[in-house]
Amino acid sequence: MKALVCDEPGRLSLVSRPEPVRGEGEVLVRIRNVGVCGTDFHIFAGKHPFLEYPRVMGHELSGTVEEAPVGSSLEKGEPVYIVPYLSCGNCQACRKGLTNACRNIRVLGVHCDGGMAEYVCVPERNVVPTGSIALEDAAMIEFLAIGAHGVKRGNLGAQDRVLITGSGPIGMSAIIFAKARGAHVTVMDTREDRLAFAVEQLGADEILIAGDQAESEAERRTDGEWYDVVIDATGNAAPMQRGFNFLNHGARYVLLSVVRQDITFADPEFHKREATLFASRNAQPDDFAEVVRQMEAGRVPTRALNTHRGRLEDGARLFSEWSRPEAGAIKAILEV
């Protein structure tokens, strides 16, 4: 089979590998579409801290069933998407249903080879029929589920005034699911093109430029009451710390981002607000199901989100092109 391998930072190769052999309880999936994630660009750039090269990237995956276990409800040729978090099922987190926070988790394309290839084998529980969702759209379910999970963690409702910081793909997914819950959403970023997209395509209510006057402007707009929920999707420690400045009394702060540095905040300010801080890691099965429901309801602008497409065979060239900010990629998809 063909596979796109990141041999080392900055170098991709299209290689021929043996097709994987399905193990007990596994499904062999013929990959059709692979969404390219910020994680993939970090791997390509050599910025991922927990990865060994060479690596086949790719964890936003859709395809068709090639072979399933005897007695499986899955049928050959059935369109499916893949949940890329391979949890152990035995640790304390898994026993509590927190498979997204499994102590022994392996993520396809990061801890083990992923789906930038013609075939992949995964446990049957990680393979889900797409239903009425088109295969190219199903390759976007995983990144959207990240936002859906963060919104669920923040327990957003129609009564909430929400600030989402960072308008990359993950921030956009948070906007979509915050709006699906009826919240009033303000988006803060430095990129005016992304902010315009958030309003025009995703239904964000307001934008806020992340400049020196952001706090004073937010205070003015909210009559000094700030935001009930803040969701950070910047992936940068400085704005993650800055997000504490925008919390209302009793507010919830959800960190979709993760960085290697320590994050600090003023304890007296946090304490007097009786605020709550949430980590949000990966996504759970019900988050994936929520994405599918919102897609089927027409509330996810998949065509607008999928800005770039290309073939797996051209991946080495396309990665270099798509990784440039001026390329304007929101979600790029490789067709296999």
Side-chain angles (χ1 to χ4, degrees):
M1 70 172 184
K2 291 177 291 196
L4 188 64
V5 179
C6 189
D7 303 292
E8 60 185 13
R11 185 161 67 91
L12 295 172
S13 301
L14 188 70
V15 302
S16 178
R17 285 187 166 187
E19 291 181 14
V21 177
R22 187 178 64 81
E24 184 177 355
E26 290 187 332
V27 177
L28 177 65
V29 178
R30 170 72 164 91
I31 298 299
R32 299 295 182 180
N33 296 275
V34 185
V36 180
C37 174
T39 297
D40 300 318
F41 287 125
H42 286 152
I43 293 170
F44 179 63
K47 296 180 180 179
H48 199 289
F50 309 118
L51 184 122
E52 295 181 1
Y53 297 90
R55 176 65 72 226
V56 176
M57 299 178 290
H59 60 274
E60 300 178 3
L61 309 171
S62 67
T64 52
V65 174
E66 187 71 16
E67 184 181 333
V70 174
S72 170
S73 61
L74 297 169
E75 299 180 356
K76 181 177 174 62
E78 186 170 8
V80 294
Y81 67 86
I82 292 175
V83 178
Y85 320 127
L86 308 181
S87 55
C88 71
N90 299 315
C91 70
Q92 179 198 29
C94 286
R95 294 197 305 271
K96 293 165 63 176
L98 303 176
T99 54
N100 60 309
C102 170
R103 295 175 64 92
N104 306 301
I105 198 166
R106 294 183 302 137
V107 179
L108 291 176
V110 179
H111 304 99
C112 56
D113 282 345
M116 288 189 185
E118 290 184 292
Y119 295 93
V120 69
C121 282
V122 291
E124 184 175 4
R125 65 177 178 270
N126 292 77
V127 181
V128 185
T130 60
S132 63
I133 306 301
L135 275 176
E136 60 267 27
D137 294 341
M140 293 189 279
I141 290 175
E142 191 272 343
F143 97 85
L144 291 163
I146 299 291
H149 184 67
V151 166
K152 180 181 73 178
R153 291 281 285 159
N155 193 28
L156 272 66
Q159 75 283 359
D160 287 320
R161 186 158 47 193
V162 179
L163 175 67
I164 296 175
T165 61
S167 57
I170 298 300
M172 290 182 183
S173 67
I175 295 167
I176 290 167
F177 292 97
K179 289 303 301 177
R181 289 183 175 222
H184 182 279
V185 175
T186 299
V187 185
M188 183 167 72
D189 204 311
T190 58
R191 288 185 55 174
E192 295 188 29
D193 59 330
R194 288 285 178 88
L195 292 174
F197 184 94
V199 172
E200 295 164 7
Q201 299 291 343
L202 308 179
D205 299 287
E206 298 184 47
I207 61 172
L208 190 61
I209 302 296
D212 295 338
Q213 305 303 313
E215 279 88 349
S216 59
E217 179 63 16
E219 184 177 27
R220 182 190 67 79
R221 293 188 193 179
T222 62
D223 295 324
E225 293 191 347
W226 304 97
Y227 297 94
D228 304 301
V229 183
V230 176
I231 299 177
D232 177 87
T234 64
N236 187 294
M240 290 169 76
Q241 293 180 162
R242 188 182 190 185
F244 287 92
N245 298 342
F246 297 86
L247 298 175
N248 191 1
H249 285 242
R252 289 95 72 196
Y253 190 13
V254 181
L255 298 181
L256 280 176
S257 297
V258 59
V259 293
R260 298 193 71 178
Q261 304 99 306
D262 290 343
I263 302 248
T264 62
F265 57 91
D267 181 63
E269 292 296 323
F270 190 73
H271 190 85
K272 78 181 184 183
R273 287 167 171 76
E274 199 176 45
T276 306
L277 180 63
F278 292 93
S280 183
R281 185 185 186 192
N282 299 328
Q284 296 172 327
D286 63 314
D287 302 311
F288 284 82
E290 172 65 7
V291 173
V292 171
R293 281 194 295 270
Q294 297 299 340
M295 280 186 164
E296 290 176 337
R299 298 192 185 101
V300 180
T302 53
R303 297 282 70 79
L305 291 168
N306 179 198
T307 54
H308 293 66
R309 297 187 71 85
R311 298 168 66 246
L312 181 73
E313 291 84 348
D314 301 321
R317 173 180 58 82
L318 293 172
F319 252 75
S320 296
E321 294 179 6
W322 291 342
S323 61
R324 295 180 294 110
E326 55 269 29
I330 294 176
K331 179 54 58 178
I333 292 181
L334 289 172
E335 298 173 343
V336 184

